[in-house]
Amino acid sequence: MKLWGGRFTESQSKAFDHFHSSISFDKRLYKQDIAGSLAHAEMLSRQGIISENDFKLISDGLLGLLEDAENGKIEFDEAAEDIHMNLEKLLTERIGEAGKRLHTGRSRNDQVATDTRLYVKEEAAALKNDLLHLITVLTDLAEKHTGTIMPGYTHLQRAQPVTLAHHLLAYAEMHKRDIDRLNDAYRRADVMPLGAGALAGTTYPIDREFTAKKLGFSKICANSLDAVSDRDFALDLLYALSVIMLHISRFCEEIILWSSREFGFVELSDAYSTGSSIMPQKKNPDAAELARGKTGRVFGDLLALLTVMKGLPLAYNKDMQEDKEPLFDAADTARAVLPVFTDMLATARFNEGKMRDAAGGGFTNATDAADWLVGRGVPFRDAHEVIGRLVLYCSARGKSLDELTLEEYREVSPLFDESVYDAISLENCVNRRDIPGAPARERTLALIAENRRFLAGDN
Ligand code: ARG
């Protein structure tokens, strides 16, 4: 018989049992569910709602279930629907009467919201660790490459020279914001629904603050209807995960481009590459491609839950059981991607010569040539025009700006002298961009130092 079977006379359809049971996926919440039950039972006994002896039986029983679950010794039952009722049923089978008192003053509605919040908090913390590791790798690599000049792009056309360090530190900034979003998701999940009951609280004199403290929640939900209806906290994590994946995906796209023969900026280690079953020469950046691909499913998970929630009246509706699979899938996906991506990056070999050649070959110093003329009093718009003509001249002859003779320069403007060569050297182009946020070596070192401080503590 079902735990809720009292008012039913017929048994449930097997097909429906299978359809609405969530145990196949929510069984992974056994730890959170047992923690919630332990705290709830302790509170009930402190408040004199159940006896101390019943609490002792319940807590011993739950700890036994935890151990067995940890060792894979528990057989969950589809007919018992979900993790909450499976555990309650098993507990009662083991300890008898006292097990039936556990659910006093509680509902699966506040129980599932509590379990899911505990899960979100744990995942947010674990993901933050993964990101801290990634930022460490980015910062270490940046330190090695403060002098590695490469083209910066706009429209994927070579634009101005930057350094590989500057490029890597751009991603470090994104991931620092990702951590901020995870912190937010954590903070908003850190509020306890338990005590909201099914929807309207309970008549028992429960002590919600005690239970919250036991479970490590900072606060309790202020409105019982909201407590059981809200899944914003799951959406917050899904959004944070989506943006993390978006950032990973963009870098993956670059790594895929960079490891092509056309770019040749990077060679991935064999450990993170695959071959072709037919083409013997191939070395494919599968890890980066798969990470880029998995980004799609995480976005899908976010949209799935947004859509599930959009039409639901207060308070709990069974639709909300559909929150778990996307949430688990997105968290599992990001946690699988991050370590692989991080190690793929850490073991990649960057081709400094190719990067420099690309920066030297695409007129990336044209802005600096125009700026040199501005230094001689020419209005920027006119200087832009003059250098534009020089670029056209060079393009027709297969030359770069630094290969022109002074005579050729003077043909477009008599103001030119020898010092223009120094001004358009790639090193100077980079290092004279010496304002906060720009790629000059000193600015790069300052940002690296800031990242070290971030990694060491205040994050
Ligand atoms: N398995 C359910 C879920 O995940 C638990 C809550 C069920 N509550 C109910 N009143 N049917 O949402």
Side-chain angles (χ1 to χ4, degrees), residues 26 30 66 83 164 189 204 223 231 261 273 291 314 327 330 372 403 422 443:
D26 67 15
Y30 70 85
L66 180 62
I83 187 63
L164 178 56
Y204 298 99
N223 177 290
R231 292 295 181 271
R261 200 162 274 267
S273 307
L314 302 185
L327 185 61
W372 186 91
E403 286 166 350
D422 207 33
R443 303 293 177 170

Side-chain angles (χ1 to χ4, degrees), residues 183-200:
N183 288 341
D184 275 351
Y186 182 97
R187 188 171 50 78
R188 277 195 285 269
D190 190 21
V191 187
M192 189 193 72
L194 217 55
L199 73 161

Side-chain angles (χ1 to χ4, degrees), residues 103-124:
H103 210 52
T104 314
R106 182 177 80 167
S107 157
R108 276 186 296 155
N109 297 350
D110 56 352
Q111 201 179 346
V112 72
T114 303
D115 291 2
T116 314
R117 281 172 179 268
L118 287 171
Y119 169 83
V120 165
K121 285 175 65 179
E122 275 169 35
E123 289 302 304

Side-chain angles (χ1 to χ4, degrees), residues 355-375:
M355 288 185 156
R356 203 202 148 82
D357 289 349
F363 302 106
T364 58
N365 49 7
T367 313
D368 297 78
D371 288 343
W372 186 91
L373 277 176
V374 170

Side-chain angles (χ1 to χ4, degrees), residues 198-369:
L199 73 161
T202 178
T203 53
Y204 298 99
I206 63 171
D207 181 352
R208 297 185 65 205
E209 295 291 352
F210 175 84
T211 319
K213 202 155 176 201
K214 274 269 145 185
L215 288 173
F217 283 105
S218 303
K219 289 199 261 178
I220 59 174
C221 297
N223 177 290
S224 63
L225 289 173
D226 178 49
V228 292
S229 304
D230 164 43
R231 292 295 181 271
D232 302 4
F233 67 88
L235 290 168
D236 284 342
L237 185 69
L238 283 169
Y239 176 69
L241 291 174
S242 295
V243 182
I244 290 168
M245 292 301 296
L246 165 74
H247 292 151
I248 297 284
S249 188
R250 290 184 76 173
F251 204 178
C252 283
E253 169 68 14
E254 293 189 323
I255 285 169
I256 293 159
L257 285 170
W258 291 0
S259 61
S260 69
R261 200 162 274 267
E262 284 70 10
F263 275 83
F265 288 2
V266 73
E267 182 168 355
L268 296 179
S269 84
D270 286 358
Y272 289 97
S273 307
T274 56
S276 156
S277 60
I278 170 170
M279 297 167 282
Q281 84 284 12
K282 292 279 280 194
K283 183 172 175 187
N284 296 328
D286 279 35
E289 291 168 49
L290 197 52
R292 186 179 58 182
K294 283 184 183 291
T295 304
R297 64 193 274 173
V298 174
F299 291 2
D301 291 330
L302 169 63
L303 210 64
L305 186 56
L306 281 169
T307 313
V308 164
M309 297 304 294
K310 75 178 260 295
L312 300 186
L314 302 185
Y316 179 83
N317 302 269
K318 182 81 167 205
D319 315 46
M320 290 160 73
Q321 182 167 288
E322 287 293 304
D323 61 353
K324 280 168 220 60
E325 285 164 293
L327 185 61
F328 296 160
D329 182 66
D332 291 348
T333 301
R335 286 186 66 185
V337 165
L338 280 169
V340 169
F341 176 79
T342 301
D343 206 44
M344 176 188 77
L345 203 60
T347 55
R349 217 179 39 77
F350 291 93
N351 190 331
E352 300 169 23
K354 282 264 192 187
M355 288 185 156
R356 203 202 148 82
D357 289 349
F363 302 106
T364 58
N365 49 7
T367 313
D368 297 78

Side-chain angles (χ1 to χ4, degrees), residues 142 145 148-150 162-169 258 350 355:
H145 289 287
T148 304
I149 291 179
M150 64 174 280
V162 293
T163 61
L164 178 56
H166 198 57
H167 199 102
L168 294 163
L169 291 174
W258 291 0
F350 291 93
M355 288 185 156

